[in-house]
């Protein structure tokens, strides 16, 4: 990931490729382990039941957490302490 011929010219700035790959795999494993929500499928027919699409409180909390961590990650990966 250094931009050489061995890495096909890819440059991994601040480890973002590794960060997103690990996050993606962890999300996939968690989704498989947790499985579908209770009541998502009808036990008799196996068809999907109509469910509410969102929870406003959790949606706002998730947005804030992502926004807050995005600032921390970007500043931490681009700035350094000079001493």
């Amino acid at each position: 990931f250094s931009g050489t011929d061995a890495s096909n010219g890819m440059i991994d700035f601040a480890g973002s490729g590794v960060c997103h790959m690990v996050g993606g795999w962890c999300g996939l494993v968690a989704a498989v382990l947790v499985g579908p929500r209770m009541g998502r499928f009808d036990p008799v027919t196996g068809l999907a039941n109509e469910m509410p699409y969102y929870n406003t409180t959790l949606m706002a909390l998730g947005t804030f957490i992502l926004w807050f961590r995005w600032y921390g990650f970007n500043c931490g990966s681009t700035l350094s302490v000079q001493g």
Side-chain angles (χ1 to χ4, degrees):
F1 300 126
S2 59
T4 62
D5 290 337
S7 66
N8 293 330
M10 180 184 159
I11 298 173
D12 188 14
F13 177 72
S16 62
V18 174
C19 177
H20 286 88
M21 181 183 65
V22 170
W25 280 109
C26 289
L28 177 64
V29 168
V32 170
L33 289 176
V34 171
R37 293 181 286 178
M38 297 297 284
R40 174 72 175 119
F41 297 102
D42 187 292
V44 177
T45 64
L47 298 174
N49 292 327
E50 188 69 29
M51 297 190 81
Y53 293 112
Y54 59 87
N55 180 324
T56 307
T57 305
L58 289 178
M59 190 167 54
L61 177 64
T63 301
F64 174 74
I65 291 170
L66 285 173
W67 173 73
F68 184 74
R69 292 307 306 147
W70 179 78
Y71 277 118
F73 180 77
N74 283 345
C75 296
S77 65
T78 57
L79 303 175
S80 64
V81 176
Q82 300 290 327

